[in-house]
Amino acid sequence: MDTLARTPASPSAVASSADPLATSFATSYAGVVAFLAVVSEGSFARAGDRLGIGRSAVSRNVQKLEAQLGARLFVRTTRSTSLTREGETFFQNCSPGMDRITQAIEDMHELRSGPPRGHLRVRAATGFGRRVIAPMLGAFHARYPDISLDFQLDDRPADFTSDRVDVAFRDGRMEDSQVIARQLIPMQLITCASPDYERAHGLPATLDELAAHRCVMHRGTNGRITEWEFKVAGRPLTLAPSSRQTFNDADLVLQSVLAGHGIAQLAAYQACEPLRDGRLVACLGRYAPADRGHYVCYLSRKQLPSRIRVFIDEVTERTRALDIALPFPL
């Protein structure tokens, strides 16, 4: 059997095969699921991996759907697969409801099929994702070779529905009640400079003294300068010091500070190693905020697909084992 009728969710499992209407609906259902999977994954082969069926089965289901609709939905070449104009119209009309059905079928199949498998789409904040999460992926693939991974670095909050993200890593404070957020580790923000800068300009002892210093700032994906965060008398305070240099990449901010160009507020995962080996010195430790974290986030579900569950467990264990926390005050 080469269609999605293998799963309990298929209408053909509950409808009589002798009923022409039920047979037509079951064929359409399998074709629509296959069609949406091809659109999502960009190829028939990856769609087959996502649905747990062969590439040829996906192709046959789509062909049956095209025959029922009397329209060609894809333009296929040896190198690419793209929607026709009719295919684009059909996708816009049917995708919202079928997305949820496809996910439900995938989840149930994975939950009962033994070893974790399937496709996993993960998004992480650029700095934390590059320095902390990405180095763990090789070991994860070695342990779970049947899970394919699409890992994206993006500082914008992930929209789990429209972006089709399975797991996201977020920094800061979590106020989104629509997702489950598990704190991996606290997020420490450390104000620091190089020893060369300290010898030439000194370091601020109070927040008021920051105005007299050369500050290196980070520009977020929203185009705004990222304010520095502090805690004064138990209350949060944000400041945006005048900048000598501004970068839209956290690693470039770190490089500038290491080169002695100014002071910056860095996350502990960036600063811990150069602080320990003396390439950086910290200041204003008594004002460091203590209410932020690095979180792994996923949609609220009573039963997670195994591919998501094992990834979350693996990354949580490995991240908490890292030595990227520093004592305060510094």
Side-chain angles (χ1 to χ4, degrees):
M1 189 178 295
D2 59 14
T3 72
L4 294 178
R6 292 183 300 175
T7 71
S10 171
S12 63
V14 295
S16 169
S17 60
D19 185 342
L21 181 60
T23 301
S24 176
F25 176 72
T27 302
S28 298
Y29 176 89
V32 171
V33 171
F35 165 78
L36 290 173
V38 174
V39 174
S40 174
E41 299 303 321
S43 80
F44 281 71
R46 289 195 295 271
D49 291 340
R50 183 179 179 91
L51 297 174
I53 60 178
R55 180 187 183 281
S56 59
V58 175
S59 181
R60 283 193 293 272
N61 287 334
V62 170
Q63 289 172 359
K64 290 177 182 178
L65 178 64
E66 289 176 327
Q68 284 185 314
L69 298 176
R72 191 176 183 186
L73 300 176
F74 292 104
V75 177
R76 282 180 271 180
T77 67
T78 56
R79 294 186 177 182
S80 66
T81 299
S82 60
L83 286 169
T84 64
R85 185 169 299 179
E86 291 78 11
E88 290 176 353
T89 300
F90 188 70
F91 174 73
Q92 293 298 325
N93 287 336
C94 71
S95 63
M98 289 305 299
D99 277 349
R100 302 185 69 176
I101 296 174
T102 302
Q103 185 65 56
I105 294 171
E106 280 189 74
D107 291 354
M108 292 305 298
H109 178 72
E110 291 176 12
L111 283 169
R112 74 173 196 273
S113 61
R117 69 179 69 178
H119 189 67
L120 191 63
R121 185 165 292 159
V122 179
R123 179 175 291 183
T126 302
F128 188 76
R130 179 184 292 128
R131 284 179 169 265
V132 178
I133 304 301
M136 303 177 183
L137 300 183
F140 178 78
H141 278 304
R143 188 171 182 180
Y144 300 103
D146 293 329
I147 298 178
S148 62
L149 187 67
D150 179 356
F151 185 65
Q152 305 170 359
L153 296 178
D154 196 326
D155 291 325
R156 296 170 299 177
D159 186 318
F160 285 85
T161 302
S162 63
D163 296 335
R164 296 185 174 89
V165 171
D166 297 302
V167 179
F169 295 92
R170 296 181 181 176
D171 301 333
R173 302 181 187 89
M174 281 302 303
E175 299 175 352
D176 188 349
S177 61
Q178 302 302 310
V179 300
I180 291 177
R182 178 193 298 182
Q183 187 179 107
L184 297 172
I185 53 174
M187 181 180 180
Q188 296 175 304
L189 296 175
I190 304 166
T191 307
C192 47
S194 71
D196 287 342
Y197 181 90
E198 181 184 21
R199 284 189 288 270
H201 306 285
L203 293 176
T206 67
L207 298 184
D208 290 338
E209 293 179 12
L210 270 176
H213 284 268
R214 302 175 180 185
C215 298
V216 182
M217 306 298 290
H218 176 259
R219 187 182 300 278
T221 54
N222 59 6
R224 298 176 182 175
I225 300 294
T226 302
E227 294 183 322
W228 292 3
E229 299 189 26
F230 300 99
K231 181 177 65 176
V232 179
R235 295 184 178 182
L237 174 70
T238 58
L239 295 175
S242 297
S243 60
R244 176 181 175 84
Q245 293 181 337
T246 301
F247 300 95
N248 68 346
D249 181 86
D251 280 347
L252 293 180
V253 173
L254 173 61
Q255 291 176 28
S256 178
V257 176
L258 290 170
H261 296 158
I263 299 174
Q265 190 172 79
L266 303 171
Y269 68 83
Q270 292 179 284
C272 61
E273 184 177 334
L275 280 168
R276 290 187 180 117
D277 63 24
R279 288 179 294 149
L280 289 180
V281 290
C283 60
L284 303 175
R286 62 193 176 108
Y287 300 108
D291 60 345
R292 296 172 60 95
H294 297 288
Y295 295 88
V296 57
C297 305
Y298 47 97
L299 284 180
S300 177
R301 297 174 181 168
K302 293 182 178 180
Q303 291 179 306
L304 278 175
S306 59
R307 72 182 192 280
I308 297 177
R309 185 180 64 253
V310 296
F311 180 78
I312 291 171
D313 291 345
E314 175 102 353
V315 169
T316 299
E317 180 180 355
R318 289 182 176 274
T319 302
R320 290 176 178 173
L322 295 175
D323 187 16
I324 52 177
L326 293 161
F328 282 122
L330 293 172

